[in-house]
Amino acid sequence: MPDMERLIGLLAKMPGLGPRSARRAALYLIKRRETLAMPLARALGDAAENVCPCSTCGNLDSVDPCAICSDPKRDGSVICVVEDVADLWALERAGAFKGLYHVLGGTLSALDGVGPEDLDISGLVSRAGAEETTEVILATNATVDGQTTAHYIADRLADCAVRVSGLAHGVPVGGELDYLDDGTLSAALKARHPV
Ligand SMILES: [Zn+2]
């Protein structure tokens, strides 16, 4: 039983999985030892060992720079700023953006004590100052903290010779990019406006 309890205890730490669904998931896995449990264990091990944040943009990949940063077909003149890797993935799924990204790693939040030094803003400022960069799109979420962060970054970029734009807000207030359908995301990106 200890192995089973250990597995259930760990699964229960996953977001959205309480003890009851963790038990159900553990049973499901063990009944599918060869087809699910073993491959999953290997995938977890490989990911935990190899995946790391891209030192340029903050995307998660098993190579650094990540596949997006090192893709010669992408437009290196535009940088889309997102809060989280999940937002980057949402934009990639929508397939509407062919430039580069910058993952902040969160938003400014007075309440949670998150200041500019806690986010990768200085990395963004130096990328925005690079000669090839012509536009920075602020795609932070339409939450209060997301918009505060966008304004702060726009101020920090004021001295850079780049166009700074924001997503058009057909994006619902409080809406997180990850939950938007691809069409809404593409439209918001196309109709972006200067900040
Ligand atoms: Zn990257």
Side-chain angles (χ1 to χ4, degrees):
M1 210 52 185
D3 284 342
M4 215 45 201
E5 289 304 325
R6 182 163 148 244
L7 175 60
I8 293 166
L10 287 168
L11 285 170
K13 292 183 201 262
M14 301 282 298
L17 281 194
R20 183 193 298 259
S21 36
R23 274 195 296 274
R24 203 177 305 142
L27 268 180
Y28 189 89
L29 281 164
I30 291 306
K31 284 181 185 158
R32 290 155 188 82
R33 191 184 305 257
E34 297 298 327
T35 56
L36 191 57
M38 301 299 274
L40 179 65
R42 282 191 290 272
L44 278 172
D46 290 347
E49 206 160 305
N50 300 328
V51 174
C52 58
C54 171
S55 55
T56 304
C57 75
N59 185 22
L60 290 175
D61 205 338
S62 33
V63 287
D64 183 15
C66 72
I68 293 176
C69 283
S70 54
D71 182 350
K73 290 194 292 292
R74 300 198 69 118
D75 179 359
S77 70
V78 190
I79 298 172
C80 183
V81 179
V82 293
E83 291 175 21
D84 202 82
V85 175
D87 300 323
L88 183 162
W89 288 344
L91 286 159
E92 282 298 288
R93 271 203 312 274
F97 181 65
K98 292 293 167 220
L100 303 178
Y101 293 95
H102 194 87
V103 180
L104 293 172
T107 50
L108 298 176
S109 169
L111 211 62
D112 298 325
V114 182
E117 66 286 348
D118 298 312
L119 306 175
D120 187 15
I121 293 178
S122 52
L124 173 64
V125 173
S126 68
R127 290 180 74 195
E131 203 177 330
E132 65 267 25
T133 309
T134 60
E135 183 179 5
V136 172
I137 304 172
L138 301 174
T140 50
N141 287 309
T143 54
V144 173
D145 285 344
Q147 293 312 297
T148 306
T149 307
H151 286 302
Y152 176 84
I153 293 174
D155 281 348
R156 288 281 302 267
L157 296 179
D159 294 336
C160 299
V162 289
R163 195 160 64 247
V164 180
S165 56
L167 287 189
H169 285 247
V171 180
V173 174
E176 295 191 60
L177 295 190
D178 197 19
Y179 292 101
L180 296 178
D181 66 87
D182 297 352
T184 310
L185 258 183
S186 305
L189 200 58
K190 272 201 203 87
R192 63 186 183 267
H193 52 79
V195 173

